[in-house]
Each structure stands twice: as C-alpha cells, then as structure tokens.
Amino acid sequence: MLGESGPWEPPEIKVAVDLVILTMRASVFHVLLIERGEDPQAGMQALPGGFLSNETEGVHDAALRELREESGLDASELHIEQLAAYGEVGRDPRGRVLSVAYMAVAPGLPEPIAGTDASDASWVPVDDVLSGRVSLAFDHWQIVCDGVERARSKLERTSLALAFCDRTFTLTELQQVYEGVWGCQLDPRNFYRKVQSIPRFVELVGTVRRAAAGRPARLFRSGGGKVLYPPLVRPVSSEP
C-alpha cells in the first residue's frame, strides 16, 4: 500500500509472554510479582515474563520457560491457560511489543526465587494490586485485572476453584478459596449445600479429626467434572 511518502513498511514486532500466577496463602488471594532489575522501569513491580528466546520457540513454551527462570516455579503442578493478547501502541518503550498473557493457578505455592532480569520475586495480595497500593510497570495492572476477573468468572461455572486446593480438602478450605477470589463472605451452610448438590464437582473421601476440639472434618476431592451446573453465582457485592 502506498502512502504520501512511499510504500508503507510494517513495523518490527517483538513477541513476549506475561504470567498472571495466582494462589491462596493463609486464605488470602495472591499474585506473583517480580522487581525489574533492568531498564526500562527498573525497580518497578511487574509480572514475570519476557521475550521469546529464538525464532523457533513457541509462545506456550516461552511462558513455561519464563515461569521457571524468573520465579523458580515448575509448571507441571499448575493449571495454566492463555488469557489474552496485549499490543497497544506505546505499551513498551522498547518498541512495538505484542504480549501473550497466561493465567496460572496452583495451591500453596512456595516462596519464589528471582532469576534472569528480576532482582526480586514475591507474593503480593491481589487487593493491593487492584487498589493501586502497589504500582506495576507497563500495562501489567490491566493484565492482572483481566486475569483476576477470568478466575472470578470461571469459579462460577467451572471447577477451577479446585486448582487452588490440595488433592484433598475440606469444604471450609474450598469456601475460603471462593471468598478469597471473589472478595466476599459466604454463608457456610448455604455454600456447603450448593457445592454438594452440583453433580461431579466434589466427592467425599473420608474424615480426619483435627487437633483442636470439635467435630471431625470431612475430606473431599475432585469429582472429575469440569463444568458446574447449576453454577455457583457470586454475590453482587463481589462484582468488579
């Protein structure tokens, strides 16, 4: 196509990946952030990620590599899915950068280990990011918002909540996942009734007696279903 000054040349586009890694820590919803060790925006908090390492590396492979290099986490135990692509002009001062973002979820993830171009890595409460108390580099605040909303929505209609739990869990622990991700309080009796009425959501394993006084807790595991019907609809107060 011809422009006023001659043929139009497409810009060079660099491809990167960014990771929204979510977990529950002490019943609080957390996201993994790194501290950038290099310019641009050195010293700022950001999502783990980076450019594709070579022309043959796939985007998904790059996401798994960055997860390992920048945080020391192994993707084999995580639920990971592609979130969205971000390519607005000016999102990165290094030029035109298209970033493919992934959302990853796992229970009880360990303390991360910073690597490559990250000077630090830590778990940060999601509320601190969404509220702006923690500022993020580039457009990573929007990516976190999109990842959190994806998780909140999928908890309503899929079994994603179980990815935040250990292999066996109590209904109280499952409720804490919903409360942490949705940011609201749920009535225990109503929650337990709804969860157990959904076919193939959870199944009873047995009971375990807690050290503290009280009734023994019942242990559950995944029932194998992926879609929740009827869905668990989040309260209006937790809508973004």
Side-chain angles (χ1 to χ4, degrees):
M1 185 175 71
L2 295 177
E4 293 182 359
S5 58
W8 179 81
E9 294 291 337
E12 179 184 357
I13 299 178
K14 297 180 179 180
V15 180
V17 293
D18 288 305
L19 300 162
V20 183
I21 306 171
L22 303 169
T23 194
M24 299 294 294
R25 295 175 65 83
S27 303
V28 177
F29 195 26
H30 282 73
V31 62
L32 180 64
L33 297 180
I34 62 153
E35 182 180 318
R36 289 188 55 79
E38 301 176 358
D39 284 326
Q41 304 193 36
M44 289 283 291
Q45 296 289 303
L47 293 170
F51 294 108
L52 271 63
S53 62
N54 56 65
E55 63 182 11
T56 63
E57 184 177 41
V59 174
H60 186 77
D61 290 337
L64 302 184
R65 175 181 54 77
E66 288 291 342
L67 178 68
R68 180 179 64 255
E69 291 180 354
E70 293 211 25
S71 64
L73 298 175
D74 184 358
S76 63
E77 299 299 323
L78 280 71
H79 166 91
I80 185 166
E81 63 180 71
Q82 194 173 114
L83 176 62
Y86 299 83
E88 292 299 318
V89 175
R91 67 178 299 271
D92 192 310
R94 291 167 290 189
R96 193 69 189 271
V97 176
L98 172 67
S99 179
V100 180
Y102 282 79
M103 180 187 74
V105 173
L109 292 174
E111 290 296 331
I113 303 171
T116 62
D117 61 348
S119 59
D120 193 18
S122 60
W123 294 107
V124 177
V126 166
D127 282 349
D128 288 351
V129 177
L130 299 187
S131 66
R133 289 191 293 271
V134 174
S135 299
L136 302 188
F138 310 115
D139 56 355
H140 289 188
W141 180 84
Q142 184 61 56
I143 299 176
V144 172
C145 289
D146 293 346
V148 169
E149 178 54 27
R150 169 74 67 85
R152 286 174 171 171
S153 297
K154 294 197 74 170
L155 255 61
E156 293 187 85
R157 294 175 173 82
T158 77
S159 59
L160 179 66
L162 304 185
F164 287 94
C165 298
D166 292 326
R167 186 169 183 175
T168 59
F169 50 87
T170 66
L171 292 185
T172 297
E173 291 167 342
L174 182 60
Q175 179 180 338
Q176 289 169 349
V177 170
Y178 276 90
E179 291 179 337
V181 176
W182 284 349
C184 64
Q185 297 294 312
L186 301 173
D187 177 71
R189 294 182 64 180
N190 193 36
F191 177 79
Y192 298 170
R193 177 182 58 79
K194 288 182 177 180
V195 165
Q196 294 179 85
S197 69
I198 299 173
R200 302 187 64 229
F201 184 19
V202 300
E203 63 181 23
L204 183 63
V205 176
T207 60
V208 59
R209 183 172 294 280
R210 302 294 189 185
R215 296 175 59 187
R218 295 193 298 168
L219 286 177
F220 291 80
R221 65 186 176 195
S222 170
K226 301 298 182 182
V227 178
L228 306 187
Y229 188 81
L232 280 168
V233 180
R234 55 179 151 166
V236 175
S237 61
S238 69
E239 294 289 343

